[in-house]
Amino acid sequence: MPDRGSGPRGPRTRAGRPSGRVRVLLLVLGALAVLAMAFVMFAGFWTDWLWYRSVDYASVFTTTLWTKIGLFAVFGALMALAVGFNIWLAHRLRPPLSAMSMEQQSLDRYRMSVAPYKKWVLAAITALVGLIAGASASGEWRTWLMWVNGVPFGTKDPQFHLDVSFYAFDLPWYRFLLGFGFAAAVLSVIAAALTHYLYGGLRVTSPGARATAAATGHLSVLIGLFVSLKAVAYWLDRYGLAVKSSDLRATTGNWTGLRYVDADAYLPAKTILFCIAVICAVLFFATLWRRTWQLPVIGLGLMVLSAILIGGLYPAIVQKFTVQPNEQAKEAPYIKKNIDATRAAYGIDSAKVTDYTGTGGGAAKADQRKAADAAASYRLIDPNVVSPAFQQVQQRRKYYQFPATLNVDRYKDPSTGKLQDTIVGLRELNIAGIPRHNWINDHFTYTHGYGMIAAKGTSPVTDPKQGTLGSPDFTESGLPTTGQLGEYQQQIYYGEKTTQYSIVGGPQKELDYESNGEKTTSYRGKSGVSLSNPLNRAAYAVSFSEPQMLYSGAIGKGSRILYNRTPKDRVEAVAPWLTLDGDAYPAVVDGRIQWIVDAYTTTDSYPYSSRTTLGDTTADSLTSDTRAVVAQQNQVNYIRNSVKATVDAYTGKVTLYQWDTKDPVLKTWMKAFPGTVEPKKDIPADLEAHMRYPQDLFKVQRELLTRYHVTDAAQFYSGSDAWQVPDDPTTRAGSAVPPYYLSLTMPGQKQQTFSLTTTFTPSGRPNLGAFMAVDADATSPDYGTIRVLRVTGNNVQGPQQVQSELNGGTDVAAFVRDLKGTDSDIEYGNMLTVPLDNGFLYVEPVYTRGGSQNYPLLKKVAASYGGGKPVFEDSLSEALDAVFGTSDTARPPTSRPPGEDQTKPPTGGDKALQQAVQDAQKAYDEGQAALNKPKPDWTAYGKAQQELQEALARVEEESRSKTPAGASGGGG
């Protein structure tokens, strides 16, 4: 008798199966595993829903979700139905089985094994193909929404005279439908053929007919459908030529649109192939009556041959023997279409290009010197250099940090009431600097940064009582900060460096500050998701893989979890249809810190407009992972800065404002997601004052303008006037020079305008080819106006030439040699280019770093004008004096710090020094006069010498009193 107990073999039944208790245990464990997996999936969905609801963009979540579900269901069902129906039909059309060949006998065992499970096999196959097709279709939710909500551009392409919206919104959807149809047809043919083969409708080695009439008719119809879809594809390919990328021998980069060979060879070829495909499809459908594949196979062969000859060989012959011998003349009309479309799609068609000699005008040197003061607010404080100074002077705690590249903004100077260029940076939380790491400290105690630090953009510290000479002159500083920004909410819960979650508002207090030192606080904003609900806590514990959320006493009533905390992450989440600029920048607006994020609408389907890759076009010597444009690998041929977004640094509130009111792409998305974008008129005036022209859009436009400033097709083809963006002369990385924000006066303007500027050099040459500036002040009526000065003079020095000449100067060599003795290094700031009297003035701040101060200090200013030798002086005023040859009359007898206003009256110390110098000169002159008399007056000469020595002693004393111990040079 078999052992029925629980002896050595365990509690098993007679047949060796687990006992009832074990089976129940296994079922329970299996059920728990399924429930755990289901809860993990639910947790992801639930936390996403809670987050979108917390930022008041639940409609984005639901619209996207339901669109994906709808596409998944519809196209998954269509694919499952198509494949399942054809399997069922092939099975129904199977021939009656009789005496079989060896081939059919070998297949019989497979038929017998499948027979009991036919319905399950059919369900499994249809479910699998349905799931795959549905998942693929759900990824096309953007294509669907753009097609169903598309609005017209109001512009037609020059070849087919269709609105651009057809290419941007309709054609992508039609191509998806066509691809889906091809997939359904191919899978149906394969499934039907296998079923016919399994059940004898198709034979490979058996004698007699290879296919039954029913199988022939079934497969012929399916192949006919496939060929019909190919005919549709040929027809759509005609329109696709308008957005096709190709290489044109005379151009660089991607050429988009029809060329001569496309219009005169490919276009008629596609039309002919369409007609042939239609005829071939009819022949396949005709097999329902003729029951033979002879004609369809011949037709299919002819279609393939035609595709090779008409679609491939004929265009190649036209290109070789018609186009290449006279390419410029043949391609000229199409080049012109490409130029016009590209300039319109990138918003550079309204750029004002004017000729500018660049060699300097005929104004007197004194007049040029005076004009130089009004030409620009020379931003000597480089936001790309001085971050270490912000960090060392204003960090205050190890757990705070500033970005490596600061931002340029404009704030009013209370003393003058005028706007001044200002360097700003937020003191954000630095988790790596927390004294002791644990879950409570990392996520509950250290939760936010504190305060905005601001410094003058045009001058450093000039008074040793205010700080180290040459360091940034802070207008807002301290912890908490005080200064020109007034009262504002200083806690920064949302920032570029804030990448991890925090739990706030509950029993556990947070570290904070007040005027007399540290204190604790509790977040009082409405941001984040409540963790008071046990379900929410469990969902977030799973989503964040943090089990302590389930039982920690630090979480209680009022606890809220903050995450997705960088400005770009938040904007991208609520508006996934936007492409974001690489640089979000902060501003104090109405007592709150607001992050401003520029966002773009793009498409790669604007007919005839050449494509560009965003990541390549926007790269320069300053770009990094934190400053890179979102969607770097995206190729686009249309871009608009259609949305200005803001993120409140305390509440995390995201607001999208319509900026380009004419953009059809934005209008389409606003129809798809109604209520998510606020109208432009609702932008507060205080906020608009801090908005600016975005850098990445400017970089894209300047890259396109290197070629598309030329509007003549023949000149464009020759490439004789092509430009390039020069490499940054202040680095050795070989990367493009970044654009610079600068308040300047362009020719024709009456006053300085906050602008974004860049230079061009002729392709392959270092001299200056052009200068470009765009009005970057959002409140200006000329905002977005691009002005390009095309240099017509010969061999006007470019930035790299000026930098090379400066580096080779004896003054710089001596300065660098002296620095080596103090264990310091030289560091160049941004080289600013300013148009002045038909010439270009170059101004470059020069910093030193090392020794006792481990951050950059502004010590020198270099300048150059009109091809003259660069000067290297202690201050901006001295540099301008030296450049324009007015130093003997305009320069004061002592050096002043870079950026200090040289026009203001001398201080008491300056007056005493000047008087001492004048007395010395007077005594010297009197002594010489006494000696030059016919009979020297030795008494008068002795008196004069005594007065000269006294005056020189006063000069030495006054000079020492104006140079503090330890200070070097005139940088302070």
Side-chain angles (χ1 to χ4, degrees), residues 70-106:
L71 292 172
F72 179 90
V74 170
F75 287 95
L78 286 176
M79 183 64 76
L81 182 63
V83 175
F85 173 76
N86 282 286
I87 292 175
W88 172 84
L89 184 60
H91 178 265
R92 186 176 181 83
L93 296 176
R94 67 190 184 279
L97 299 179
S98 55
M100 298 181 185
S101 63
M102 293 298 297
E103 178 186 20
Q104 292 302 313
Q105 290 179 12
S106 64

Side-chain angles (χ1 to χ4, degrees), residues 915-951 954:
Q915 187 62 50
V917 172
Q918 292 173 5
D919 291 345
Q921 185 65 46
K922 180 181 178 182
Y924 175 78
D925 292 340
E926 290 176 348
Q928 292 301 310
L931 287 176
N932 291 332
K933 288 182 179 181
K935 186 178 180 179
D937 186 346
W938 296 107
T939 303
Y941 178 76
K943 182 180 179 181
Q945 287 297 100
Q946 184 178 357
E947 291 175 351
L948 176 61
Q949 291 178 6
E950 292 175 355
R954 284 161 47 210

Side-chain angles (χ1 to χ4, degrees), residues 387-396 402 852-855:
S387 179
F390 274 58
Q391 188 75 6
Q392 185 159 333
V393 179
Q394 294 295 332
Q395 179 189 22
R396 300 299 175 93
F402 291 94
S852 60
Q853 298 290 344
N854 192 27
Y855 60 87

